[in-house]
Amino acid sequence: MSEYRINTADIKNAASYLKAGDTVYLSGTVYTSRDAAHKRITALINEGKQLPFDLNGAVIYYAGPTPTPEGLAIGSCGPTTSSRMDVYAPGFLDRGLAAMVGKGPRNKAVCDAIVRNRAVYFCAIGGAGALASRCITKCEVIAFEDLGCESVKKLEFNEFPLTVAIDANGGNLFGDNND
């Protein structure tokens, strides 16, 4: 297993050499989006409307941060169970999504879409959201403010620690039994 420091702008290139089990300290722009926001983004796609951010080359973090304490960029910001977004992920990946961050295994359709699109799925440590928030330097709500913690936020990561869980070649820390 290897360690890398990668900027989100380079994630598409990095996907070619990252392997399941590698550690990545990710920096750059990342968008939060969970099931409610994914549903709305999918509706916008189906209606041919403009999206809140460009999916092509983007990194989505499945997270719903807590309210921001005074003096910090963000509240606790741990990963959400990724399988809740599996119904949407293949379509997002087919539109250029470069990477996803969450926790837990993904279904076969998502795994196939990761390989087909040369993308990557990272896992963040669950239960350590307060610690993880120290690696987020900016947070701005950019869409669906009415969703509260599930609104789409634009974050800036600074060496956010992640593990490559599913790589662009099909390497999968969770094995091959993901239905």
Side-chain angles (χ1 to χ4, degrees):
M1 305 305 150
S2 299
E3 276 190 16
Y4 299 97
R5 283 173 169 66
I6 299 173
N7 189 285
T8 55
D10 301 322
I11 226 43
K12 278 293 204 186
N13 293 329
S16 68
Y17 60 81
L18 291 173
K19 302 283 182 233
D22 286 348
T23 298
V24 171
Y25 296 94
L26 190 64
S27 298
T29 301
V30 175
Y31 300 94
T32 65
S33 185
R34 289 175 35 171
D35 20 354
H38 273 54
K39 184 176 182 177
R40 289 191 186 178
I41 290 168
T42 299
L44 291 172
I45 290 168
N46 292 339
E47 295 165 9
K49 295 184 178 175
Q50 185 172 347
L51 304 183
F53 61 94
D54 187 0
L55 282 173
N56 191 33
V59 177
I60 291 179
Y61 183 23
Y62 303 138
T66 63
T68 304
E70 190 171 329
L72 297 177
I74 197 168
S76 181
C77 193
T80 298
T81 302
S82 301
S83 60
R84 294 185 2 223
M85 276 56 72
D86 282 1
V87 67
Y88 305 105
F92 285 20
L93 288 160
D94 290 343
R95 285 176 177 76
L97 183 66
M100 301 158 289
V101 178
K103 67 178 181 182
R106 308 306 298 270
N107 70 24
K108 183 174 179 355
V110 175
C111 295
D112 290 347
I114 289 168
V115 172
R116 179 173 64 248
N117 292 288
R118 309 295 301 153
V120 65
Y121 170 56
F122 297 107
C123 280
I125 297 171
L131 185 60
S133 70
R134 294 180 184 180
C135 298
I136 300 171
T137 59
K138 290 183 184 175
C139 174
E140 171 191 4
V141 175
I142 63 166
F144 317 135
E145 190 169 2
D146 62 302
L147 294 178
C149 74
E150 290 200 41
S151 62
V152 175
K153 295 168 186 66
K154 181 180 178 181
L155 307 178
E156 289 299 320
F157 276 16
N158 182 27
E159 297 200 349
F160 195 104
L162 301 167
T163 300
V164 177
I166 303 171
D167 65 41
N169 295 309
N172 186 336
L173 290 183
F174 299 103
D176 294 330
N177 302 25
N178 300 316
D179 301 319

